[in-house]
């Protein structure tokens, strides 16, 4: 618990702009650099429609390895919808139509040859509310490796469960009760169990959809520490409503507004020197 | 006044009470202009007066009528000659029967003996006195109540709250009605069953393997003394229920999985009504189907394959009962499956599980306790089901596990024991109550268990 840091990072207020460049107000073009060197995901002109609703409008962005990308924006801005495009979770919603190109390691994820089951094994996801399966702690973590045949025998499976729980920082708390139901854990532990379950499949990217919104500050701090460690091996995309959290955990930040990707950039730069009027309004708390 | 006329009069009186209460409350504050200084609306005072007028009088009428007959009979029989009162209880009840028939006007007084005719005349005379007394009592209670309430009406009186209280008591009365009815049913079954167990030992009843309830009615008749081993009935019931569950559980469950997880909404909207129609078919119609279509068809196929199938077989009854239970299982399982939160499905999909893996290993696992509860409810329905087995399962109390033979069930035997003219002191008839008690205890236990499981499961995801 010594690494727990609960005090919020102070967000530097943008200095009073007197003579600087005028802020951009055009919503059609994304401000900032959307490209990164050696991207894992490349998205170009992604559009999502839910029936008549145009939820994501021409979003282009690249996602870097070994980095945390934070997606922020007011409720209903489409950040979760965009996240769900990356592992094609929108396929489970009958009315959703996704267009545009999304490539994972230069392979189109909407290609006919792309097996959606394989895609989701490579792109893990952690949800807003912890959703452990109605199984034991061990079986929760072992579920992914089992269905993908990642372990040759019981010894290997034990090993995967052990390392996954350890990397999720949960091993010490549950090692004596692996056979108890996953739902018997506290909220924060359940969320770390879900993270362990995700990394047990050894994905390349981990998507997190407001993973801390149902947790208390201490559990939140543990998950944030965990993200810092996990980014050594994975690319991480996190949707969050907390700007403090985005500032603490991410290296890059993307600001969404009503389905448009307004601004992307280094987290430090976005929070100190936003270039778009809407970004500035949001991070200074004028709306949101 | 007859009781009906009395009730109508009382209704009129309480309407008068309503108007008196309403107008008097206004009068205490000086007419309509003072209505704001009343605690409650004038109508509340009226309702209160009406309730006070009617309810106590109704209680008195109810109690009076409940005991009137018993008291009158006591009085009348006390005046019968010594020779009649000394008769044996059976013959004495015949005399009483004559008296009642004359009183009810079913037979002319001239057709019975003089004693009975006199008693009937006395009964009628006493009853008319009793009615006059009741009328006077009830109406005076009503009038007194009106006067009492009218004197108590003052502007500060909380008529609104008191009306509320009266309504609450009325609601309580209605809700306890079901409880008392249940207690009454259980008690009647229990007492008759105890009379049966006074003649046949419970041990013999529960463990005996021979069921032959025919007993000689007269001493000179040739007939067995009856054997009341109920094991063949229990076995038959379980066999047919098991066949029904083998049909209903997989079919119903898979139908529910398809409808809840795979089916296109359009297919769902078309299929659901058909399942509901299946649930709405009267069981007697299923009975025809089993006895006239399925039974003979099974016998025909059996002959074709060289098997001997009874035309009334456990298999036919079980199959049709299973079909009857399919919609019951599927709609319960459907509820349970749709209650599994979408987040669990998302979690499995996000790990790269396919649809069938998600359903089998996550959704089904999560819904399992609820489904088990639903299946137990279905079992208790199968055990208690009567019409299909009466028509299709047969009457022979065979102790067999062969579904191609005729068996009989607890419910079938209850029906056959109680159909027709019966004497209610022979073990043959009383056995029906013992069987009813066993059935009641079994289905009650299953229902309690099932509802407990289902409720616990629902709480988990709410």
């Amino acid at each position: 618990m010594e690494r727990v840091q609960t005090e919020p990072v102070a967000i530097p207020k943008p200095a009073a702009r007197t003579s600087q460049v005028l802020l951009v107000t055009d919503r059609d073009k994304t401000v900032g650099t959307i490209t990164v060197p050696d991207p894992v995901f490349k998205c170009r002109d992604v559009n999502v429609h839910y029936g008549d609703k145009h939820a994501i409008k021409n979003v282009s962005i690249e996602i870097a390895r070994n980095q945390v990308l934070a997606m922020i924006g007011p409720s209903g801005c489409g950040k979760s919808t965009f996240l769900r495009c990356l592992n094609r979770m929108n396929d489970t919603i009958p009315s959703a139509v996704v267009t545009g190109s999304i490539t994972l390691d230069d392979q189109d994820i909407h290609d006919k040859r792309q097996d959606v089951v394989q895609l989701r094994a490579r792109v893990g996801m952690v949800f807003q509310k912890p959703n452990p399966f109605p199984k034991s702690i061990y079986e929760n973590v072992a579920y992914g490796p089992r269905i993908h045949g990642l372990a040759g025998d019981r010894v290997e499976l034990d090993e995967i469960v052990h390392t996954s729980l350890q990397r999720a920082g949960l091993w010490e708390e549950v090692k004596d009760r692996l056979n108890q139901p996953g739902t018997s854990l506290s909220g924060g532990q359940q969320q770390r169990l879900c993270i362990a379950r995700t990394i047990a499949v050894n994905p390349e990217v981990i998507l997190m959809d407001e993973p801390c919104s149902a947790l208390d500050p201490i559990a939140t701090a543990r998950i944030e520490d965990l993200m810092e460690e996990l980014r050594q091996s994975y690319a991480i995309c996190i949707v969050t409503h907390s700007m403090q959290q985005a500032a603490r955990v991410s290296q890059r930040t993307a600001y969404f507004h009503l389905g448009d990707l307004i601004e992307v950039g280094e987290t430090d730069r976005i929070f100190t020197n936003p270039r778009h009027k809407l970004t500035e309004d949001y991070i200074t708390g004028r709306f949101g | 006044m007859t009781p009906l006329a009395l009730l109508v009069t009382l209704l009129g009186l309480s309407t008068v009470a309503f108007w008196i209460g309403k107008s008097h409350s206004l009068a205490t504050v000086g007419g309509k202009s003072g209505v704001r200084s009343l605690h409650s609306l004038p109508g509340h005072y009226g309702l209160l007066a009406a309730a006070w007028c009617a309810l106590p009088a109704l209680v008195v009428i109810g109690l009076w009528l409940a005991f009137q007959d018993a008291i009158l009979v006591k009085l009348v029989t006390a005046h019968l000659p010594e020779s009649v009162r000394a008769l044996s209880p059976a013959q004495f009840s015949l005399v009483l029967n004559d008296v009642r028939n004359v009183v009810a006007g079913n037979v002319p007084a001239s057709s019975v003996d003089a004693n009975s005719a006199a008693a009937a005349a006395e009964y009628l005379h006493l009853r008319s006195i009793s009615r006059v007394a009741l009328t006077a009592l009830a109406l005076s209670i009503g009038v007194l109540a009106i006067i009492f309430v009218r004197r108590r009406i003052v502007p500060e009186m909380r008529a609104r709250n008191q009306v509320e209280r009266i309504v609450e008591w009325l609601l309580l009365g209605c809700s306890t009605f079901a409880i008392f009815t249940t207690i009454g049913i259980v008690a009647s079954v229990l007492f008759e069953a105890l009379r049966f167990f006074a003649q046949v030992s419970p041990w013999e009843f529960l463990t005996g393997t021979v069921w032959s309830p025919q007993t000689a009615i007269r001493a000179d008749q040739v007939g067995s003394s009856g054997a009341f081993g109920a094991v063949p009935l229990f076995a038959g019931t379980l066999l047919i229920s098991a066949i029904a569950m083998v049909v209903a559980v997989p079919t119903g469950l898979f139908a529910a999985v398809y409808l809840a997880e795979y089916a296109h909404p359009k297919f769902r909207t078309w299929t659901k009504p058909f399942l509901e129609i299946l649930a709405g078919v009267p069981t007697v119609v299923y009975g025809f189907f089993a006895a006239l279509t399925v039974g003979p068809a099974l016998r025909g196929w059996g002959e074709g394959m060289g098997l001997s199938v009874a035309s009334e077989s456990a298999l036919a009854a079980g199959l049709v009962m299973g079909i009857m239970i399919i919609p019951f299982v599927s709609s319960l399982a459907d509820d349970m499956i749709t209650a599994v939160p979408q987040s669990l499905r998302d979690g499995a999909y996000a790990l790269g599980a396919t649809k069938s893996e998600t359903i089998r290993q996550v959704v089904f696992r999560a819904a399992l306790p609820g489904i088990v509860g639903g299946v137990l409810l279905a079992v208790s329905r199968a055990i208690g089901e009567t019409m299909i087995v009466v028509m299709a399962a047969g009457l022979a109390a065979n102790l067999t596990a062969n579904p191609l033979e005729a068996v009989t069930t607890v419910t079938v035997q209850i029906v056959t024991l109680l159909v027709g003219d019966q004497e209610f002191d022979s073990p043959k008839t009383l056995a029906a109550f013992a069987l009813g008690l066993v059935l009641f205890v079994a289905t009650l236990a299953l229902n309690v268990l099932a509802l407990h499981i289902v409720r616990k499961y629902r709480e988990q995801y709410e």
Side-chain angles (χ1 to χ4, degrees):
Chain A
M1 296 294 272
E2 66 276 9
R3 284 186 292 103
V4 168
Q5 36 164 261
T6 48
E7 71 281 7
V9 173
I11 301 173
K13 282 261 162 69
R17 300 167 182 279
T18 46
S19 60
Q20 287 187 9
V21 281
L22 270 173
L23 287 173
V24 184
T25 53
D26 179 15
R27 274 174 47 189
D28 291 340
K29 251 187 100 198
T30 303
V31 179
T33 326
I34 60 165
T35 54
V36 290
D38 186 26
V40 54
F41 265 117
K42 274 194 236 171
C43 311
R44 289 290 182 272
D45 297 323
V46 176
N47 281 279
V48 180
H49 292 263
Y50 290 124
D52 292 339
K53 193 177 172 242
H54 198 176
I56 293 284
K57 300 165 187 165
N58 288 318
V59 169
S60 297
I61 191 171
E62 292 180 358
I63 296 167
R65 295 179 202 281
N66 306 108
Q67 247 195 8
V68 177
L69 169 69
M71 302 185 186
I72 59 171
S75 297
C77 69
K79 49 197 191 309
S80 291
T81 301
F82 182 69
L83 196 72
R84 291 167 65 95
C85 290
L86 298 176
N87 64 346
R88 287 181 54 187
M89 279 301 277
N90 283 328
D91 289 12
T92 60
I93 302 169
S95 65
V97 179
V98 183
T99 57
S101 122
I102 303 175
T103 61
L104 172 62
D105 295 328
D106 294 321
Q107 278 177 309
D108 186 353
I109 66 165
H110 289 109
D111 193 286
K112 281 206 175 71
R113 280 164 298 175
Q114 175 66 55
D115 179 5
V116 68
V117 164
Q118 283 303 318
L119 171 72
R120 290 183 189 146
R122 288 167 66 192
V123 185
M125 190 166 197
V126 177
F127 295 85
Q128 184 170 1
K129 245 182 90 189
N131 55 352
F133 299 136
K135 298 166 184 280
S136 69
I137 294 170
Y138 182 96
E139 285 299 326
N140 259 283
V141 182
Y143 183 71
R146 269 193 213 280
I147 59 174
H148 295 297
L150 299 184
D153 53 23
R154 183 75 188 193
V155 180
E156 275 183 64
L157 191 61
D158 285 351
E159 184 55 32
I160 293 177
V161 172
H162 179 192
T163 37
S164 305
L165 282 170
Q166 203 150 40
R167 298 191 68 182
L170 195 58
W171 176 253
E172 287 303 319
E173 292 157 62
V174 301
K175 64 181 175 190
D176 299 324
R177 48 171 176 154
L178 290 174
N179 289 321
Q180 286 183 20
T183 44
S184 66
L185 298 171
S186 73
Q189 289 174 324
Q190 286 187 15
Q191 195 63 300
R192 276 180 283 146
L193 179 64
C194 292
I195 293 175
R197 184 173 82 184
T198 305
I199 55 187
V201 189
N202 199 21
E204 292 167 53
V205 185
I206 300 177
L207 310 175
M208 296 186 169
D209 190 356
E210 299 179 41
C212 303
S213 64
L215 305 182
D216 66 34
I218 293 174
T220 301
R222 296 213 57 167
I223 304 265
E224 288 179 3
D225 287 349
L226 186 58
M227 284 163 68
E228 178 61 25
E229 275 172 45
L230 291 177
R231 85 172 169 96
Q232 311 305 326
S233 333
Y234 310 103
I236 296 177
C237 283
I238 175 174
V239 164
T240 176
H241 268 130
S242 153
M243 281 175 283
Q244 282 91 346
Q245 185 170 58
R248 282 194 298 263
V249 301
S250 72
Q251 286 73 50
R252 260 172 105 224
T253 297
Y255 173 68
F256 285 77
H257 182 90
L258 296 175
D260 289 304
L261 176 55
I262 301 293
E263 187 164 357
V264 194
E266 301 295 316
T267 299
D268 292 342
R269 207 266 300 153
I270 293 270
F271 280 107
T272 52
N273 195 10
R275 292 201 208 124
H276 198 287
K277 180 84 174 68
L278 288 168
T279 318
E280 191 191 35
D281 285 352
Y282 185 69
I283 63 174
T284 52
R286 245 168 266 170
F287 70 86
Chain B
M1 222 183 265
T2 63
L4 185 64
L6 180 57
L7 284 180
V8 174
T9 315
L10 197 62
L11 192 68
L13 190 63
S14 64
T15 314
V16 172
F18 178 82
W19 289 111
I20 291 177
K22 191 171 170 180
S23 59
H24 185 68
S25 68
L26 279 173
T28 57
V29 291
K32 280 219 155 92
S33 52
V35 75
R36 305 187 84 188
S37 49
L38 278 177
H39 173 271
S40 314
L41 291 174
H44 288 125
Y45 294 93
L47 279 177
L48 190 64
W52 270 99
C53 168
L55 293 178
L58 279 178
V59 171
V60 168
I61 294 173
L63 289 176
W64 190 288
L65 291 181
F67 294 107
Q68 171 180 274
D69 183 64
I71 294 171
L72 290 186
V73 168
K74 264 250 146 62
L75 290 174
V76 167
T77 51
H79 294 155
L80 283 172
E82 195 62 39
S83 59
V84 178
R85 277 189 289 159
L87 288 170
S88 73
Q91 284 168 315
F92 188 71
S93 76
L94 283 177
V95 173
L96 275 186
N97 223 18
D98 278 347
V99 174
R100 280 183 202 286
N101 278 330
V102 174
V103 167
N106 294 340
V107 293
S110 54
S111 69
V112 297
D113 69 73
N115 281 331
S116 300
E122 191 187 355
Y123 183 99
L124 282 172
H125 174 65
L126 286 175
R127 192 173 72 178
S128 66
I129 294 178
S130 156
R131 280 186 177 168
V132 171
L134 174 61
T135 307
L137 182 65
L139 293 183
S140 55
I141 287 175
V143 171
L144 282 176
I146 295 175
I147 296 169
F148 174 70
V149 175
R150 188 179 178 280
R151 285 180 56 184
R152 285 192 54 197
I153 289 178
V154 286
E156 299 82 44
M157 187 190 195
R158 299 183 179 177
R160 192 175 169 189
N161 309 33
Q162 292 187 25
V163 169
E164 204 88 336
R165 285 267 296 281
I166 292 172
V167 169
E168 198 184 315
W169 280 98
L170 283 177
L171 296 181
L172 178 73
C174 291
S175 62
T176 47
F177 185 73
I179 299 175
F180 284 116
T181 314
T182 312
I183 292 175
I185 292 173
V186 174
S188 77
V189 171
L190 189 65
F191 285 125
E192 299 297 329
L194 287 178
R195 281 177 63 196
F196 172 76
F197 287 128
Q199 303 182 37
V200 177
S201 86
W203 181 251
E204 187 197 327
F205 176 70
L206 290 174
T207 59
T209 55
V210 179
W211 177 264
S212 164
Q214 294 310 322
T215 44
I217 293 176
R218 293 193 315 275
D220 57 337
Q221 264 181 332
V222 180
S224 62
S225 57
F228 295 96
V231 169
L233 310 191
F234 300 149
T237 305
L238 290 181
L239 178 64
I240 288 181
S241 301
I243 295 170
M245 298 322 284
V246 165
V247 173
V249 171
T251 320
L253 220 52
F254 294 153
V257 167
Y258 182 77
L259 288 179
E261 297 284 334
Y262 289 96
H264 192 270
K266 238 182 198 160
F267 183 79
R268 215 179 133 92
T269 48
W270 277 97
T271 321
K272 276 235 148 182
F274 276 98
L275 272 175
E276 275 149 27
I277 290 172
L278 209 54
V281 175
T283 54
V284 68
V285 175
Y286 280 113
F288 302 153
F289 181 56
L292 301 181
T293 310
V294 179
L298 284 176
R299 192 185 49 191
W301 292 337
E303 278 168 2
M305 289 187 289
L307 294 168
S308 86
V309 183
S311 53
E312 288 184 323
S313 64
L315 190 60
L319 285 178
V320 174
M321 194 193 283
I323 294 169
M324 182 196 80
I325 293 174
I326 287 173
F328 190 71
V329 173
S330 83
S331 86
L332 265 168
D334 192 40
D335 280 358
M336 298 304 156
I337 289 171
T338 33
V340 173
Q342 182 63 28
S343 70
L344 280 184
R345 295 184 182 85
D346 284 350
Y349 287 140
L351 281 176
T354 62
K355 190 155 191 166
S356 81
E357 283 165 348
T358 303
I359 292 166
R360 266 186 297 128
Q361 296 159 0
V362 176
V363 176
F364 199 73
R365 180 72 77 92
L368 193 61
I371 291 174
V372 169
V375 168
L376 287 182
L377 281 180
V379 173
S380 105
R381 263 199 83 174
I383 291 178
E385 167 53 38
T386 309
M387 216 55 227
I388 295 174
V389 281
V390 165
M391 296 172 82
L395 290 172
N398 293 328
L399 183 55
T400 174
N402 180 358
L404 304 179
E405 281 183 44
V407 296
T408 191
T409 70
V410 175
T411 48
V412 171
Q413 287 305 315
I414 292 176
V415 171
T416 48
L417 289 175
L418 291 183
V419 167
D421 289 340
Q422 302 298 337
E423 45 170 349
F424 272 81
D425 50 0
S426 98
K428 180 194 166 198
T429 311
L430 293 175
F433 294 96
L435 290 173
L437 186 67
V438 171
L439 203 58
F440 177 78
V441 170
T443 50
L444 181 73
L446 275 172
N447 283 355
V448 168
L449 183 68
L451 289 176
H452 178 74
I453 293 173
V454 170
R455 195 177 315 130
K456 229 177 143 186
Y457 162 73
R458 287 222 169 105
E459 279 164 7
Q460 193 183 335
Y461 291 118
E462 267 164 14

